[in-house]
Amino acid sequence: MQPNPEDWLDRQLRDVAPYIEDAGFTQRVLRQLPARRQRSSVARPFILIGMSVLASVLAYFLSDGGRFLIVEMTRLSALPVVWLFALVIGSGVLLMTGGLAAAAMSKTIRIEP
Amino acid sequence: MELTDADLIARILVDDDQHAFGELVRRHQSPVRGLLRQLTRTDTALADDLAQETFIRAYKNIRSFRGEARFSTWLYRIAYNCFREDARRRKELVGIDEAQWQAEVDPRPVDAGLRHDLMNALSQLPLHERSAVILCCQNGLSHDEAARVLDIPLGTVKTNVLRGREKLKKMLRAWGSE
């Protein structure tokens, strides 16, 4: 059972609760808030670049001085032009999809209304 | 277009945006302070201190807000907990007979104004009935929302509202239903 909005008592109760002016209340609250968190996003790119460089160096040494690169380049150059074109387009689409998905995941916060 | 509470909360969660939190405080300060003023029997200084504590706690625990209830309901719950903790510290709730406490309340001078009489009548209600009446009848919460705020069963809220209203009507009988 909900309170009847037309009830005399309810009406009076609402009337005795007027709007309270802010009068600096919000500023007082904001002054007492804890300091903002250190943004981890500043360090994030450096960590990612560092990890990428480390992984590349490891891959170079573990693959016999990057010999696999020369082999793969030779194989690629032997491919027909259409295949090469398809490969480039496919890689681009894959990269773009991954980037968009990562951006969406980092910004989406699930809050139900 | 004005941002919704959910938009502002998202900004706080993603960017730790204190300006967004300030907007939330501006929106909700009046009802929260009003509720606490009623609960503290119009001790405005204490009520405002508790309201500040309420918003600071809300900021610190904003990640625990899951959006299952309205943000205002969540705030009321924090405010009510702040009030209860403070009351316990002041030994108002623990080990005190409510009837005895009421007898110790200073008798207020009779005022011709209905507002004064209503506030006086409200302050004479036991805490459990006063809280339920304030939340449901004054702040417009549903019984279900009030049950969440007060952390008591739905049936108890309904009973407390009913009894509180009956007592208020009895105390304000002289004013009738003009």
Side-chain angles (χ1 to χ4, degrees):
Chain A
M1 187 188 77
Q2 300 300 313
N4 179 358
E6 295 306 312
D7 189 278
W8 170 82
L9 182 62
D10 291 333
R11 205 167 54 245
Q12 299 304 331
L13 278 167
R14 280 195 299 275
D15 288 348
V16 297
Y19 180 81
I20 300 170
E21 291 298 331
D22 188 275
F25 176 82
T26 300
Q27 285 307 314
R28 286 198 295 280
V29 170
L30 291 179
R31 274 199 297 271
Q32 290 183 47
L33 291 183
R36 294 181 66 172
R37 295 189 305 269
Q38 281 293 325
R39 300 290 301 275
S40 58
S41 57
V42 176
R44 195 175 298 162
F46 293 104
I47 295 170
L48 286 174
I49 291 169
M51 295 293 280
S52 303
V53 169
L54 187 68
S56 302
V57 170
L58 271 174
Y60 180 80
F61 285 109
L62 293 176
S63 64
D64 194 18
R67 214 170 62 81
F68 76 100
L69 274 176
I70 298 160
V71 173
E72 290 306 319
M73 288 297 281
T74 313
R75 282 175 64 184
L76 273 175
S77 62
L79 280 176
V81 179
V82 179
W83 276 101
L84 268 177
F85 190 68
L87 193 68
V88 169
I89 296 286
S91 304
V93 168
L94 203 65
L95 204 65
M96 197 169 67
T97 309
L100 286 173
M105 277 193 295
S106 70
K107 287 287 176 191
T108 302
I109 301 296
R110 186 170 167 270
I111 295 176
E112 293 167 16
Chain B
M1 193 181 74
E2 193 179 70
L3 293 171
T4 63
D5 284 359
D7 294 331
L8 293 169
I9 292 164
R11 287 187 176 197
I12 298 164
L13 291 173
V14 174
D15 298 326
D16 198 17
D17 186 346
Q18 294 195 344
H19 292 294
F21 186 72
E23 178 56 28
L24 281 176
V25 176
R26 261 184 290 279
R27 283 184 191 179
H28 296 282
Q29 58 88 20
S30 177
V32 168
R33 289 164 79 192
L35 169 70
L36 287 163
R37 284 182 188 188
Q38 299 281 13
L39 289 173
T40 57
R41 291 185 167 89
T42 66
D43 183 343
T44 51
L46 173 62
D48 278 7
D49 284 349
L50 293 175
Q52 281 191 37
E53 174 66 20
T54 298
F55 283 108
I56 291 166
R57 277 193 202 180
Y59 179 77
K60 287 178 180 170
N61 297 294
I62 195 91
R63 284 175 194 283
S64 67
F65 176 64
R66 297 282 170 226
E68 288 148 0
R70 283 188 291 169
F71 183 66
S72 56
T73 307
W74 187 67
L75 276 180
Y76 285 145
R77 183 167 167 74
I78 297 174
Y80 186 71
N81 285 340
C82 284
F83 164 75
R84 279 177 55 173
E85 286 169 23
D86 180 76
R88 277 199 199 99
R89 278 198 297 272
R90 292 165 186 270
K91 308 288 182 193
E92 186 175 318
L93 286 179
V94 178
I96 191 162
D97 177 11
E98 182 79 20
Q100 182 195 338
W101 186 88
Q102 281 181 33
E104 289 168 3
V105 173
D106 292 334
R108 298 183 182 192
V110 178
D111 190 301
L114 170 60
R115 178 191 163 85
H116 182 278
D117 283 0
L118 185 50
M119 295 295 280
N120 196 28
L122 253 181
S123 72
Q124 287 180 44
L125 290 181
L127 177 61
H128 56 281
E129 290 173 6
R130 186 160 29 111
S131 313
V133 168
I134 291 167
L135 287 171
C136 294
C137 305
Q138 201 165 49
N139 291 299
L141 268 68
S142 66
H143 288 143
D144 193 45
E145 287 173 321
R148 287 186 191 197
V149 170
L150 301 171
D151 198 21
I152 53 177
L154 180 61
T156 310
V157 172
K158 289 180 181 177
T159 306
N160 289 343
V161 169
L162 201 66
R163 286 184 182 160
R165 285 167 54 84
E166 286 307 313
K167 286 181 185 174
L168 284 178
K169 281 185 174 175
K170 203 173 169 184
M171 283 187 267
L172 298 167
R173 197 186 302 136
W175 289 97
S177 51
E178 298 164 343

